[in-house]
Amino acid sequence: MRSLKHILRRLQRAPMFTTVALVTLALGIGATTAIFSVVEGVLLKPLPYPQAESLVGVWHTAPGLKGFPGDVPFSPAMYFTYREENRTFQDIGLYQTSGATVTGLAEPDVVPTLVTTYGTLQALAVPPKYGRWFSLADDQPGAPQTVILNYNYWQRRFGGDPSIVGRTLTIDTEPHIVIGVMPAGFDFKNKPDLILPQRMDRSKGFLGQLGFQGVARLKPGVTLQQANADQARMLAIWLKAWPPAPGFPLSVFQNAKFGPKLKPLKEEVVGNVGSILWVLMGTVGLVLLIACANVANLLLVRAESRQHEMAIRAALGAGWKAIAREMLLESAVLGILGGALGLVLADTALRVLLAKGPQTLPRLSEIGIDPVVLAFALFVSLLSGLLFGLIPVLKYAAPQVATSLRGVGRGFSHGREHHRARNTLVVAQVGLALLLLVGAGLMIRTFQFLRHVDPGFAHPDQIQLMRILIYPGQVKEPEQVMRMENAMLDKISAIPGVDSVALASDAPLEELGGGDALFAQDKDYSAGQVPPIRRFRSVTPGFFKTAGTPLIAGRDFTWTDLYDKRRVGIVSENLAREMWGSASAALGKRIRSGFQG
C-alpha cells in the first residue's frame, strides 16, 4: 500500500505523461472491450433457452434441386413425418415469420408475428409468464383462434395487466383468445409481438411446399450425427408416404436427392456474422498492441529520466527485484486506470450500438457489459500493463542493470545500445500500423466497389415504403381486391409531391418469398428434369418506374393485363441472357412455372 500511494503521487506529479498514457490505453482497451462484448453476446453466450445446445435447426440438402440460395427448408409433410416417425427428437416444430394487424385497440397496429405449429415453443422450453403454450388441439384446423403475447407487446399495449389471459383480440379481422404471455427476454427470430398457431390440415399435405423453417430439441444423449442419420431414414418414409405436389411427377422429388442437414440453432441464428466479428476482434487487438507500444515508449523515456533516482536507490541497497516490482506495479496501475476509463468508453459505444445498431446483427439485445465482459476488461487491462511495463523493467531493472546503476554519474552517455529498445518499439508500431493501414485500404476499396453495385433501383432517399394488408374476410373477390388496390394507388399518386406509386409482394432488396421451376417452351427437358428454381415478385403497373429500374426491352404491365388476366411476365436481364442470349431475344418467348401447363 505504501508503494501504491507513492506511485499515485508520482503519477499526479506528471499530469501530461499520465493523461497521454491513460487516454492511449483507454482507446485501445475500450475498443477491444466493446468488440469483445459484441463477440460474447453474439457468438460466445449460449442462446437464452434451457439446454440450448440441444436445439437444432431443421434443414436439408437437395443437390438435384438447382436455384435454392442455400440449404433447403422445411415442409408441412416433412413436419408431420418427423413428428410421428422420429426416434431422436424430444420436440419438433415448424414456423414462419410474418406480420398481422391488431384492431379494436385505439389505432390499428401492424406487428411482427411468429406463426408456429405445436412443438416449436415446447422445443424452445421457455415457459410463459402467464397462461400456457399452444396445445395440439389449438393447432388443429377449425379450432378456436388463439394467440400468445410477447412480454414487450403486453407491457406496451396492456400495461402489464395480468388479467389479459382469456381476453379476445381482433387479429387480421378475426377474434383470437389470449392464452398466454411470454416472459421478459424471450426472443425468437423476428422478435415477434404475437405468436399464432399454424393450424395445418394433415389430410391436405403433399410433397413440396418447401418454404418453412423448423426447430427441434434432441433427446438427452443424442448426438447431431445420430439425429442426421434418423432424419435420412425419415426422408425415405416421407417420399413414399405423401403424394407429389399437383402437376409434379414423383420423379422430380426422387431426383432431387433430399438429404439431412440438421445444424445447431446457434449456428443458424448467428449465420456468417461470426467471421466478420472475429476479424474485427483481431483488428482492435492490433490497435491495442499499438497502444501498448506507445505507452511502453513513454515509460522508457520516463525510466531514463529516473535513472539517477534508481541509481540512488540501488546505492542505498534496494535490490533489482524491489525496483522491478515497483515498476511493474506502476504499469499495472496505469493499465487498471486506463481499463476503467476504457470501460466507460466501451459502455458508451455499446449504448449507441443498441440504439442505432443494424437490425441485421443477430442477438443485438443480448449485447452489453456483463460479468464476463468485466472480467475480460480486467484481464486485458492487467495484460496490457504487463506488456508495456515489462520492456522498461527488462532494460532498467534487470540484475546486471541494477548493479551497474550504482555507477551512474554525470558522465553517463546515451549510446546506440541505450536507444535500441525504443527503436524496436517504433519499428513494431510502424509494422502494426502498416498492417492496419493496408486492411483499412482494402476495406475502403471494398466499400467503393459496393457503392457502384447496381441495387436494381435508383434514388433510395426518394422511395418510401408502407405495408398494405387486405384480408380475405374483408374482400373475397380477387377482382374487387385489384380494384381496391388500383383506387388506393390513384389516391396516393394524387398527393402533391408523389411522382409514382406501385404495389409489390416484396420490396427492393428484400428476400423473395415465391419460387418455382421455370420451363421455356422452346427448350427441351428430359423426363423428370427440374430446371433451376427461380424467384418471383408480384407487382402492379408502375413498379419499375417507381423503383427507378429501367426496362431495357419490352413494356411494363398495364391494369388491362391484370383485369383481363393476361398471361404476361417480365424477366430479368440475367435470365434472358442465360436462356436466350440477349434481353431482346426474350420478347415473345413462352414460359411457365411448375409442371402444369
Side-chain angles (χ1 to χ4, degrees):
M1 292 300 300
R2 187 168 57 252
S3 298
L4 181 60
K5 292 178 180 178
H6 179 67
I7 288 170
L8 291 175
R9 285 197 300 269
R10 189 162 59 231
L11 291 176
Q12 287 178 344
R13 288 196 298 267
M16 183 62 70
F17 162 79
T18 304
T19 300
V20 173
L22 290 182
V23 170
T24 302
L25 288 173
L27 292 174
I29 296 175
T32 306
T33 303
I35 296 299
F36 176 79
S37 66
V38 177
V39 170
E40 193 257 345
V42 175
L43 303 179
L44 304 181
K45 187 182 294 184
L47 294 177
Y49 312 113
Q51 291 82 47
E53 66 280 359
S54 298
L55 291 172
V56 294
V58 184
W59 297 89
H60 307 81
T61 60
L65 284 182
K66 307 297 183 183
F68 267 98
D71 300 326
V72 178
F74 212 22
S75 78
M78 287 176 174
Y79 161 68
F80 288 116
T81 301
Y82 292 173
R83 194 181 75 183
E84 297 161 6
E85 302 289 342
N86 87 86
R87 300 169 183 169
T88 54
F89 300 146
Q90 185 171 310
D91 291 291
I92 184 170
L94 174 152
Y95 63 90
Q96 281 183 310
T97 56
S98 185
T101 300
V102 181
T103 54
L105 302 173
E107 293 295 325
D109 194 10
V110 179
V111 297
T113 62
L114 178 69
V115 186
T116 177
T117 63
Y118 171 79
T120 299
L121 296 179
Q122 286 78 359
L124 298 177
V126 178
K129 180 179 180 65
Y130 295 106
R132 61 179 178 85
W133 292 324
F134 297 125
S135 66
L136 191 57
D138 294 318
D139 200 27
Q140 300 300 314
Q145 294 275 20
T146 53
V147 62
I148 297 174
L149 310 183
N150 212 348
Y151 184 87
N152 290 339
Y153 183 75
W154 173 60
Q155 290 284 339
R156 186 172 71 247
R157 294 309 301 263
F158 303 100
D161 182 5
S163 66
I164 187 65
V165 176
R167 289 171 56 181
T168 299
L169 296 184
T170 302
I171 304 172
D172 293 347
T173 72
E174 295 186 3
H176 289 65
I177 301 172
V178 178
I179 64 169
V181 177
M182 296 304 291
F186 175 79
D187 185 18
F188 189 66
K189 294 298 180 176
N190 66 334
K191 300 179 181 177
D193 283 338
L194 305 179
I195 306 174
L196 300 168
Q198 189 74 247
R199 307 202 323 163
M200 291 177 171
D201 190 344
R202 192 189 189 287
S203 64
K204 297 180 180 180
F206 50 82
L207 300 178
Q209 294 180 291
L210 301 170
F212 298 83
Q213 292 179 276
V215 61
R217 178 176 290 274
L218 302 182
K219 291 181 178 179
V222 173
T223 64
L224 195 62
Q225 292 75 15
Q226 292 171 330
N228 271 312
D230 192 37
Q231 186 186 11
R233 176 188 64 83
M234 291 185 290
L235 282 171
I237 298 174
W238 168 72
L239 276 174
K240 295 178 181 178
W242 300 87
F248 281 73
L250 180 61
S251 58
V252 169
F253 299 94
Q254 293 172 334
N255 295 339
K257 298 180 174 60
F258 284 92
K261 193 170 183 182
L262 300 174
K263 51 186 175 182
L265 185 63
K266 186 175 180 180
E267 177 183 322
E268 179 183 331
V269 171
V270 172
N272 60 357
V273 174
S275 56
I276 299 174
L277 291 180
W278 285 121
V279 169
L280 285 175
M281 192 68 195
T283 302
V284 297
L286 293 179
V287 173
L288 180 59
L289 288 177
I290 294 176
C292 290
N294 279 326
V295 177
N297 256 329
L298 292 174
L299 285 175
L300 280 174
V301 173
R302 181 174 171 80
E304 288 177 6
S305 66
R306 294 176 56 202
Q307 284 184 86
H308 188 68
E309 171 198 336
M310 287 188 287
I312 294 175
R313 293 179 60 189
L316 294 175
W320 70 272
K321 290 183 179 180
I323 298 175
R325 184 168 59 247
E326 184 172 324
M327 294 178 70
L328 283 177
L329 184 59
E330 181 177 352
S331 301
V333 169
L334 283 173
I336 292 175
L337 292 177
L341 184 57
L343 198 60
V344 174
L345 296 178
D347 183 64
T348 303
L350 291 176
R351 291 179 186 274
V352 174
L353 175 66
L354 293 177
K356 301 183 178 181
Q359 294 302 312
T360 53
L361 182 63
R363 311 182 69 185
L364 184 64
S365 61
E366 299 179 49
I367 298 172
I369 304 295
D370 57 20
V372 175
V373 176
L374 288 174
F376 174 82
L378 178 60
F379 171 76
V380 169
S381 301
L382 293 175
L383 180 62
S384 300
L386 179 63
L387 285 176
F388 65 73
L390 200 57
I391 296 176
V393 168
L394 293 176
K395 186 168 181 60
Y396 292 106
Q400 66 277 13
V401 176
T403 303
S404 64
L405 283 173
R406 294 186 175 91
V408 174
R410 293 189 181 188
F412 185 83
S413 62
H414 300 280
R416 295 175 67 185
E417 183 69 23
H418 201 68
H419 295 285
R420 179 173 297 176
R422 277 192 287 170
N423 293 339
T424 302
L425 285 173
V426 170
V427 171
Q429 287 176 269
V430 171
L432 291 173
L434 181 62
L435 184 61
L436 285 177
L437 185 62
V438 171
L442 292 174
M443 184 73 72
I444 292 172
R445 184 175 177 84
T446 300
F447 279 123
Q448 287 177 335
F449 281 128
L450 287 175
R451 291 186 63 184
H452 291 89
V453 171
D454 185 4
F457 60 93
H459 305 296
D461 55 316
Q462 299 176 10
I463 298 177
Q464 302 295 318
L465 296 178
M466 65 177 179
R467 304 288 180 182
I468 297 177
L469 302 173
I470 301 176
Y471 301 103
Q474 294 174 308
V475 184
K476 296 184 178 180
E477 296 297 328
E479 183 175 342
Q480 184 63 25
V481 172
M482 279 193 292
R483 295 193 181 280
M484 288 181 64
E485 293 174 341
N486 196 350
M488 282 190 290
L489 296 183
D490 288 342
K491 291 182 179 180
I492 295 174
S493 62
I495 297 175
V498 175
D499 181 62
S500 62
V501 62
L503 297 178
S505 57
D506 308 279
L509 292 184
E510 276 189 336
E511 182 178 356
L512 299 181
D516 206 343
L518 191 70
F519 293 82
Q521 190 178 43
D522 59 340
K523 304 294 181 182
D524 295 324
Y525 303 92
S526 59
Q529 179 185 355
V530 183
I533 304 297
R534 309 292 183 175
R535 297 293 179 179
F536 300 90
R537 175 183 279 121
S538 300
V539 302
T540 62
F543 171 79
F544 298 102
K545 177 186 176 182
T546 304
T549 305
L551 290 173
I552 60 176
R555 65 172 179 85
D556 194 1
F557 297 120
T558 66
W559 283 103
T560 303
D561 294 329
L562 274 64
Y563 287 128
D564 292 347
K565 299 181 181 179
R566 295 176 181 174
R567 295 192 173 187
V568 294
I570 298 173
V571 300
S572 68
E573 181 183 3
N574 288 338
L575 178 62
R577 293 186 183 279
E578 176 188 333
M579 298 190 71
W580 298 288
S582 67
S584 59
L587 298 179
K589 295 294 190 295
R590 298 180 65 85
I591 57 177
R592 61 181 172 86
S593 62
F595 284 78
Q596 293 180 320

